[in-house]
Amino acid sequence: MNQTIMDLDKRERRAKTLLKETRILNIARLANMLVDLFGLEAEFQNVGKRAGQEVELYIPSLDGYLTFQLVTEKKNFECRSEKANNPVATVILNVKRENVLKVVSNIIRSKANLFGLIKLIPKFITRKIVIKGSLLTALTLVKCLMIGKNSVYKNKL
């Protein structure tokens, strides 16, 4: 009987771990898909000397990491659901589990210009987003993720 309880605890822990990993993996897939479909090549060409650098996104509420490697071509963009080996910057997303997709979506749907970056200031002030390491490298990644200038977002009247 005691062995059965231990087996149930072990299964429950494995199920929780799998659920956590699945949530992080889905966010990584979403980022890859949105950048692939709607990303703007011009922002990737502006990466310049930061190409090859890793930026890590840590989401404490999901206890998981996403790793982005800066590239100069959109077709080479890849988001991985793992801890970075040598991150130049770490972006910490301090939001509740229910709001993670909402915040990520707001960032992605913004335009990659000064006004799009200004929209992020309240999230910095409230400490929903914290950047450790190179601020410019993290902002370069954010601009690559922003797809708001895509024609999909233009109003057709």
Side-chain angles (χ1 to χ4, degrees), residues 58-125:
Y58 175 55
I59 307 170
S61 62
L62 298 178
D63 190 30
Y65 292 87
L66 296 174
T67 299
F68 301 89
Q69 186 169 9
L70 294 175
V71 293
T72 57
E73 292 184 22
K74 180 179 84 165
K75 67 181 181 180
N76 296 332
F77 176 80
E78 183 183 359
C79 173
R80 300 182 317 268
S81 60
E82 60 187 29
K83 190 163 173 47
N85 295 328
N86 189 19
V88 175
T90 300
V91 179
I92 302 170
L93 196 60
N94 289 319
V95 294
K96 293 180 182 175
R97 181 184 313 174
E98 304 85 41
N99 296 330
V100 170
L101 280 179
K102 184 178 179 181
V103 171
V104 171
S105 176
N106 285 340
I107 293 169
I108 289 175
R109 290 182 302 146
S110 297
K111 290 185 179 182
N113 58 23
L114 183 60
F115 294 113
L117 294 174
I118 288 173
K119 287 171 60 176
L120 296 178
I121 290 176
K123 290 176 180 43
F124 286 108
I125 292 172

Side-chain angles (χ1 to χ4, degrees), residues 32-58:
N32 285 329
M33 186 173 28
L34 287 174
V35 169
D36 185 43
L37 293 173
F38 304 115
L40 303 170
E41 193 69 47
E43 295 306 323
F44 287 94
Q45 292 170 352
N46 292 335
V47 169
K49 67 180 181 180
R50 291 183 174 81
Q53 295 179 345
E54 288 183 326
V55 179
E56 180 177 78
L57 174 64
Y58 175 55

Side-chain angles (χ1 to χ4, degrees), residues 50 88-89 91 124 131-142:
R50 291 183 174 81
V88 175
V91 179
F124 286 108
I131 297 176
K132 293 184 178 181
S134 173
L135 177 65
L136 291 177
T137 303
L139 290 177
T140 301
L141 168 69
V142 169

Side-chain angles (χ1 to χ4, degrees), residues 34 37-41 74 109-111 146-157:
L34 287 174
L37 293 173
F38 304 115
L40 303 170
E41 193 69 47
K74 180 179 84 165
R109 290 182 302 146
S110 297
K111 290 185 179 182
M146 292 178 161
I147 60 174
K149 285 186 180 180
N150 192 292
S151 61
V152 174
Y153 293 103
K154 291 185 181 176
N155 292 336
K156 295 180 182 180
L157 299 175

